[in-house]
Amino acid sequence: GRRTQLLKGLPATTTVEENAAAGVSVYTFNVTVSPLSSEGVAVLPTIVNSNPLTEAFDIESKGDLEYSVVTTGNPVLDYETMPKSFDLQIFVEDTTGRTDLNILTVHIRDKNERPVFRGNMAIQTVTIYVLEATRPEWIYQVDAADPENAELKYSLLPERVPFLVLESGAIFSTKEFDYEKDPHCYFLNITVTDPDGLNSTKTVNINIININDERPYFTTKQRIYRIPEEQSPGTIVANITAKDPDDEDSPSKLFYSIQSSNRYFSINPSTGVLQVTGRINRDAHPLRLHPNISVILQVEDSPSGGHASEMEITIIIDDINDNPPECNPSTFRKEANENTNAGTFLLDLRNYCKDIDVDPSNNQFRFTGLSGFGSNNFALESTVSGRLVMNESIDLENPANLGVEVYSLTVAVQDIACPNYSSKYPFYTSFDIFLCYIIYIYIRVKPVNEFFPVFSNLSYEFNVPEITKVGSSIGRVNARDKDWPPSVITYSIVAGGGTGDYTNIFWISPTKGDVKTLARLDYETTQKHILTVQASDQEKTTTATVTVNVLEVNDEEPVCSPNFYSFQIPVSLAVGTNINGFRIECQDRDSDPRSFRYFINEGNVNNHFTFSPSAGSNTSQLILASRFDYESGLDTNWIYRLRIYITDDNLLSARDKITHLIKTGTVTLSIRVIPNPTTVIATTPGFTVVTKRENLYSESAWYVPFIITFGSLLLLGLLGYLGFLLATWVRTRCPPAEKADGAALIHFTFCLSSQTMTKLNTVFDGEARDPVTGKMYEFNTRSGARRWKKNNEPLQLAPAMQATSSVTDGSGQRTDRAEAPSKKELSEKRKELTAETKPGAKPSPGQ
């Protein structure tokens, strides 16, 4: 817009005093507007710039287009530190767009101001600390300044204080202070004044500091104390007090301690409370002889390096009745025979009891309260002596005492003086005046053996089957003793029960009385055994008779003769023939001869053999029941090994056979069938030996199996050695055979047994022509062995009467056996190789 004179009264120059407050009017002017400006001023008068720049001024409206320049107070005008004048540019604009800009120059007018404290005194009250006994000296420097840089003067109020201030502002003390006598604090008013009389005042606090220059002293006057023994830890003995002159106006900060060696007391280092720390036992050394305890106390005003004082006090320990009477041992065990006379002395308790309290009035005691099971049988002579005696005789067999061996008694040992046990025994109270020490007495009444053992029966009879196993219990005897407690009874057999083979075949349990067998019973030998059994209680004995009846049982096996037999029969033997006249005869010690029954259990292939009669007799013959049939192939075995069973149940019914014991005997037969001369077989001669043994021995004969085993090992070793020698002999006497005429050679086998060794050399006593090859061959008419006939070799005819050896077995039967060839024949046959062929095989056509 256009610049027009709108600010009336500007430009102009004005002044304002320094430090003027905010809102102070500096200059007033008016704004003139055009008559066309109906709405007045569009832009109010504004300080748009200042030189130098400041915010110390502002424009306020006073109404009717009148305005005033005022101070803002921010910042405060200061003549000494700020520019001396300011040029303010004021701008205004009316509603028609006319503007005006003029300058108002403001000069700052100087004013005399009060002095100002500097440093710490300008912002706070200064506190100065001065140690007591310090010599007069400078203690503080006051710092103040005048805004107009005029010289200032310092003064001090009140005047009657031991301090002074110099015109330079230095504060000095004028005396040595004593904390215990002088004031502890001074308040000084320090005034600073400029030449025009304007001043400022500040307060300085001066505190006198106490120093440790006095020795503390005890204020407690008492020096001797008396306390009972056995006070609990923490019990207060005394409150020791002391004073430190340095702490006259406040509680003393003192430290207490015990200087002497002491284990009973301690003192609180802060409060001075003397209290019990350890156990105080008046009845133990050293207090038992010297009950006074001397304690040296010390008080210090510093934990280290301060002033200290000492004081000695004496504490006397008084004895109290704090120990009940005690007995060592507290448990007694005594013995007394039953029926001991009344009045018999048993035990003197006073010899074992004592009270260790020092004061005689506290160590007196008495014995009371005899009680417990059976206490009526015993008594105390007096409460003072403590002598225990029998009151009446005790009989253990009396029903009133039956089962009682030990009597449990208790005796109370009690203080005569009123006890005070709470220190040692917290469970006691002040009302427990009847509490006491308890003695336990156990009196064992030793039984006397007065009675003999008595058997429940005068005699015993046991029925025992003869087949009862060895070690079985066959009965029990029982004896009792009227003595109490019941005696341990031991049983033994003192007579009877022996046989020809055994000294005693019975055994009795020493503790239970069970009678057992040591060997097998045999009805056929002894039907009754009479034993004498003894019962003993280690001192007294009694006897009883035991009869053992042996009951007959079918326990014997049939025994037949012969029990083994070997013979040969021709293949053409007629049916029904008694083979070789063989018969067996059987015996059974506990069976009727008619009770035997015969049957072939094994080896009777195609049922060619039977026994007649088959039952009801003790003798029976071997009969050929059916003919042999080798041609059709029905029979193939040439050797029959028969096992014949003979049972003793022929007279029993079918029902009785289920429940009765049946015994079986055995017989073994070896039968060789001799073929006709035209029949060819190859066999290996042999026989079977069946041996049955039964060993009976006592349980106590431990050495029997050992000897048997050891002997068996020796026998086996011997047999092995003999076998080794035999094998060596065979190798030396039988060199390897060579083939002759291209024929296969087969060595004969030597047959060995445990009883005999036989060499078999086949004698070829017959000859015939082979229908296939037309060649001649030789054969043995008994064994059927064959071989090709050599040229120019005569036929070996069998002698008309072959030598036989006759062996008679136990049954009287004769068994014929061929004799072995002579040594000369053996030598000749060793040079001659022979061959055996399988039964039914033909010679090779090449030979």
Side-chain angles (χ1 to χ4, degrees):
R2 303 181 304 272
R3 186 173 183 276
T4 311
Q5 183 70 30
L6 298 179
L7 297 173
K8 186 179 180 180
L10 293 177
T13 300
T14 184
T15 62
V16 65
E17 191 177 67
E18 67 174 326
N19 298 324
V24 173
S25 178
V26 176
Y27 182 76
T28 301
F29 62 92
N30 296 318
V31 176
T32 301
V33 298
S34 170
L36 298 178
S37 178
S38 60
E39 297 181 5
V41 179
V43 178
L44 296 177
T46 304
I47 300 174
V48 297
N49 195 6
S50 65
N51 185 23
L53 188 63
T54 182
E55 295 180 357
F57 303 96
D58 198 4
I59 299 176
E60 292 181 355
S61 176
K62 299 181 69 176
D64 295 336
L65 298 178
E66 185 178 6
Y67 298 92
S68 176
V69 178
V70 297
T71 59
T72 62
N74 184 25
V76 177
L77 299 175
D78 186 9
Y79 181 84
E80 287 76 23
T81 61
M82 297 179 67
K84 303 302 188 283
S85 65
F86 295 91
D87 291 332
L88 306 179
Q89 296 181 359
I90 300 172
F91 174 79
V92 68
E93 181 180 358
D94 63 9
T95 57
T96 62
R98 296 187 302 167
T99 63
D100 191 6
L101 180 63
N102 276 305
I103 296 175
L104 174 64
T105 301
V106 180
H107 294 281
I108 306 303
R109 186 173 61 248
D110 187 20
K111 177 184 177 182
N112 187 17
E113 301 175 85
R114 294 178 182 275
V116 177
F117 287 95
R118 296 188 297 185
N120 289 335
M121 292 186 67
I123 58 176
Q124 64 184 4
T125 299
V126 174
T127 300
I128 302 172
Y129 297 91
V130 178
L131 296 177
E132 69 169 322
T134 300
R135 299 180 62 184
E137 62 179 356
W138 172 90
I139 61 174
Y140 190 74
Q141 176 65 49
V142 179
D143 186 12
D146 184 71
E148 290 75 31
N149 294 323
E151 290 187 4
L152 301 177
K153 292 183 178 181
Y154 298 89
S155 60
L156 182 148
L157 291 175
E159 296 180 355
R160 294 184 179 181
V161 292
F163 301 95
L164 62 84
V165 60
L166 301 181
E167 290 186 356
S168 62
I171 302 176
F172 286 84
S173 62
T174 60
K175 61 172 293 187
E176 291 186 8
F177 296 94
D178 187 349
Y179 184 84
E180 288 73 31
K181 298 178 181 180
D182 295 328
H184 299 165
C185 184
Y186 296 89
F187 297 94
L188 305 181
N189 293 323
I190 306 299
T191 301
V192 57
T193 307
D194 65 5
D196 292 336
L198 293 178
N199 60 69
S200 297
T201 301
K202 288 284 187 177
T203 301
V204 176
N205 295 338
I206 298 179
N207 294 330
I208 305 304
I209 303 303
N210 188 19
I211 64 174
N212 187 14
D213 58 347
E214 300 290 339
R215 185 183 299 274
Y217 58 92
F218 288 96
T219 58
T220 300
K221 303 303 181 183
Q222 185 176 350
R223 294 293 185 270
I224 297 177
Y225 298 86
R226 184 181 293 271
I227 63 171
E229 64 170 326
E230 297 293 355
Q231 297 299 304
S232 60
T235 300
I236 296 176
V237 178
N239 287 314
I240 305 300
T241 59
K243 196 72 175 176
D244 189 348
D246 291 324
D247 300 329
E248 201 66 39
D249 295 335
S250 61
S252 299
K253 301 294 182 181
L254 302 177
F255 301 91
Y256 299 89
S257 61
I258 297 178
Q259 296 301 302
S260 57
S261 177
N262 187 276
R263 63 180 180 181
Y264 303 110
F265 306 100
S266 65
I267 190 169
N268 189 307
S270 300
T271 63
V273 174
L274 184 66
Q275 57 189 6
V276 176
T277 300
R279 181 187 175 192
I280 304 176
N281 187 2
R282 175 69 173 82
D283 309 306
H285 294 286
L287 297 179
R288 189 175 185 90
L289 300 177
H290 305 284
N292 298 339
I293 302 175
S294 177
V295 180
I296 299 177
L297 304 177
Q298 184 185 72
V299 60
E300 294 180 282
D301 57 10
S302 175
S304 61
H307 301 286
S309 295
E310 292 184 353
M311 177 181 68
E312 182 178 2
I313 63 173
T314 300
I315 303 174
I316 301 174
I317 308 302
D318 293 330
D319 182 51
I320 62 173
N321 186 15
D322 63 329
N323 291 291
E326 295 184 359
C327 301
N328 187 20
S330 61
T331 301
F332 297 88
R333 288 176 171 82
K334 303 294 290 185
E335 289 186 347
N337 291 332
E338 67 172 318
N339 301 322
T340 299
N341 296 329
T344 301
F345 168 77
L346 297 177
L347 180 64
D348 189 349
L349 298 176
R350 182 162 286 276
N351 293 336
Y352 303 96
C353 301
K354 65 179 180 179
D355 189 330
I356 64 173
D357 285 315
V358 175
D359 193 328
S361 63
N362 293 329
N363 59 20
Q364 301 299 316
F365 57 90
R366 61 177 178 269
F367 299 91
T368 60
L370 175 63
S371 61
F373 180 75
S375 59
N376 58 313
N377 297 311
F378 308 92
L380 291 170
E381 285 186 348
S382 68
T383 60
V384 177
S385 67
R387 287 171 56 86
L388 182 68
V389 297
M390 291 289 295
N391 194 32
E392 60 182 30
S393 179
I394 299 176
D395 183 7
L396 293 181
E397 287 74 38
N398 189 334
N401 299 324
L402 194 61
V404 179
E405 292 186 42
V406 178
Y407 291 86
S408 301
L409 310 178
T410 58
V411 176
V413 186
Q414 191 174 31
D415 259 320
I416 295 177
C418 181
N420 183 5
Y421 302 153
S422 60
S423 58
K424 283 186 177 179
Y425 311 99
F427 47 84
Y428 285 99
T429 67
S430 59
F431 300 100
D432 293 330
I433 59 174
F434 299 107
L435 291 176
C436 50
Y437 189 87
I438 302 300
I439 297 176
Y440 298 92
I441 305 173
Y442 300 96
I443 299 179
R444 179 179 180 270
V445 178
K446 295 173 60 178
V448 176
N449 192 354
E450 304 174 81
F451 301 96
F452 283 84
V454 177
F455 280 98
S456 58
N457 297 320
L458 295 178
S459 63
Y460 297 84
E461 185 172 356
F462 303 140
N463 296 321
V464 185
E466 62 176 327
I467 61 173
T468 300
K469 292 183 178 180
V470 175
S472 300
S473 176
I474 63 174
R476 173 180 290 187
V477 300
N478 183 44
R480 295 185 178 276
D481 193 333
K482 293 183 180 180
D483 285 307
W484 186 266
S487 301
V488 176
I489 296 179
T490 303
Y491 301 93
S492 61
I493 299 175
V494 296
T499 64
D501 295 331
Y502 299 95
T503 303
N504 201 334
I505 63 175
F506 299 97
W507 175 83
I508 188 170
S509 171
T511 57
K512 298 181 179 179
D514 288 334
V515 180
K516 296 184 178 181
T517 59
L518 294 179
R520 293 187 59 183
L521 304 178
D522 188 4
Y523 175 84
E524 288 73 27
T525 302
T526 306
Q527 291 79 35
K528 180 181 293 187
H529 300 272
I530 299 177
L531 315 177
T532 301
V533 177
Q534 175 181 282
S536 172
D537 63 1
Q538 317 308 320
E539 294 183 11
K540 295 179 171 58
T541 62
T542 187
T543 59
T545 300
V546 176
T547 301
V548 181
N549 296 319
V550 181
L551 303 180
E552 183 179 11
V553 178
N554 184 21
D555 64 331
E556 299 286 345
E557 296 178 355
V559 178
C560 299
S561 177
N563 65 348
F564 172 79
Y565 199 73
S566 176
F567 49 85
Q568 300 176 348
I569 62 174
V571 68
S572 59
L573 187 67
V575 175
T577 303
N578 178 199
I579 299 175
N580 282 18
F582 177 80
R583 70 184 181 90
I584 59 175
E585 181 176 354
C586 300
Q587 297 179 353
D588 191 334
R589 297 173 62 188
D590 55 9
S591 298
D592 189 275
R594 297 172 301 165
S595 63
F596 297 121
R597 188 164 57 89
Y598 307 86
F599 61 93
I600 302 174
N601 187 59
E602 297 178 8
N604 192 12
V605 180
N606 294 330
N607 298 319
H608 288 299
F609 307 97
T610 186
F611 276 89
S612 178
S614 62
S617 175
N618 67 330
T619 62
S620 183
Q621 296 179 342
L622 178 65
I623 304 297
L624 183 66
S626 62
R627 62 181 295 275
F628 299 103
D629 187 0
Y630 291 99
E631 295 179 357
S632 64
L634 178 64
D635 291 323
T636 58
N637 294 336
W638 294 91
I639 298 177
Y640 293 85
R641 291 180 174 84
L642 307 182
R643 181 176 292 275
I644 298 91
Y645 284 178
I646 302 92
T647 62
D648 55 6
D649 60 345
N650 183 56
L651 300 180
L652 299 177
S653 63
R655 177 178 300 178
D656 292 340
K657 289 181 180 180
I658 299 176
T659 58
H660 281 62
L661 183 64
I662 298 174
K663 292 293 183 177
T664 302
T666 60
V667 172
T668 302
L669 300 180
S670 177
I671 302 175
R672 180 188 297 275
V673 178
I674 304 300
N676 291 327
T678 58
T679 305
V680 180
I681 62 173
T683 60
T684 302
F687 57 88
T688 303
V689 177
V690 178
T691 304
K692 183 176 181 181
R693 295 178 181 176
E694 183 177 11
N695 294 326
L696 300 177
Y697 57 88
S698 171
E699 290 181 349
S700 61
W702 59 267
Y703 53 87
V704 173
F706 173 78
I707 293 177
I708 292 174
T709 303
F710 184 74
S712 300
L713 294 175
L714 291 178
L715 180 59
L716 288 175
L718 178 60
L719 291 177
Y721 180 71
L722 292 177
F724 172 78
L725 295 179
L726 178 61
T728 304
W729 182 83
V730 169
R731 285 197 300 270
T732 57
R733 305 302 291 269
C734 297
E738 297 180 358
K739 293 184 178 179
D741 299 332
L745 302 180
I746 303 176
H747 291 278
F748 285 100
T749 303
F750 291 95
C751 300
L752 304 177
S753 70
S754 61
Q755 298 177 347
T756 181
M757 180 180 72
T758 305
K759 291 184 179 179
L760 299 180
N761 289 323
T762 304
V763 177
F764 297 92
D765 55 354
E767 65 180 17
R769 184 179 300 276
D770 181 75
V772 177
T773 62
K775 296 179 63 175
M776 297 296 293
Y777 65 90
E778 298 175 341
F779 64 89
N780 184 278
T781 59
R782 296 177 62 86
S783 64
R786 300 185 303 175
R787 73 174 182 179
W788 294 114
K789 181 176 178 5
K790 296 181 179 180
N791 295 330
N792 303 323
E793 184 180 16
L795 178 66
Q796 297 178 2
L797 298 177
M801 181 65 67
Q802 187 177 6
T804 60
S805 61
S806 177
V807 180
T808 304
D809 57 15
S811 62
Q813 300 280 344
R814 295 179 59 87
T815 301
D816 296 334
R817 298 178 182 177
E819 288 186 347
S822 64
K823 293 183 178 180
K824 181 177 181 181
E825 291 174 342
L826 289 175
S827 177
E828 293 175 354
K829 292 301 178 182
R830 189 178 299 114
K831 299 178 182 179
E832 177 182 322
L833 297 177
T834 62
E836 287 186 3
T837 60
K838 297 182 180 179
K842 295 182 179 182
S844 173
Q847 295 185 4

